[in-house]
Amino acid sequence: VKFKVHLPSLDEHEVSVCNCSICARNGYTLVYPPRGDVEYLRGEDTLKSYYFGSKKAEHRFCPACGSSVSIDPHGAFGTNFVAINVRMFQDVDLDKLKVKTVNGKEAIGEPYNPE
């Protein structure tokens, strides 16, 4: 899978780390570009999807390596963005990112329990 995301420099852009069960389990470190600023160059059709909870947000992952790539709410909650995991970007120093911690555990409620 190869894609481009148009963002300000990550040196200046805040990223989100959520403590809810699905984000913590998948290691998400997210940015939220507008949908039009995400361009898949190849492999988008190979990504697999997973829905949980309200089943409104599509969690997309690579079937070859299992990496969590993105969360697409498809306009749910009045959104026009795609949440992209910056861990998929090349040459990102996670220790230098400006991190905003989100308390999704309390906001979302019941923890993720696979069926």
Side-chain angles (χ1 to χ4, degrees):
V1 176
K2 186 173 183 177
F3 60 93
K4 279 199 270 187
V5 178
H6 303 281
L7 287 171
S9 167
L10 284 178
D11 293 338
E12 303 163 15
H13 195 77
E14 193 172 67
V15 300
S16 294
V17 174
C18 176
N19 66 358
C20 80
S21 58
I22 195 78
C23 288
R25 183 170 288 175
N26 287 326
Y28 284 130
T29 301
L30 299 169
V31 290
Y32 302 89
R35 182 173 304 286
D37 289 347
V38 178
E39 177 185 1
Y40 283 91
L41 305 174
R42 70 170 181 263
E44 180 180 16
D45 58 334
T46 66
L47 291 174
K48 298 298 181 188
S49 300
Y50 180 74
Y51 293 85
F52 81 104
S54 68
K55 305 213 183 318
K56 292 181 180 178
E58 178 184 18
H59 294 253
R60 299 181 83 190
F61 63 94
C62 175
C65 68
S67 294
S68 297
V69 176
S70 65
I71 305 169
D72 190 341
H74 296 288
F77 321 109
T79 61
N80 186 32
F81 64 79
V82 179
I84 300 290
N85 189 357
V86 300
R87 292 173 184 263
M88 302 300 103
F89 297 171
Q90 293 180 351
D91 302 320
V92 171
D93 185 346
L94 296 173
D95 293 329
K96 292 185 179 179
L97 296 176
K98 294 178 184 177
V99 176
K100 173 186 176 185
T101 302
V102 176
N103 188 357
K105 269 186 187 178
E106 290 185 24
I108 293 172
E110 290 298 314
Y112 164 72
N113 289 312
E115 297 173 19

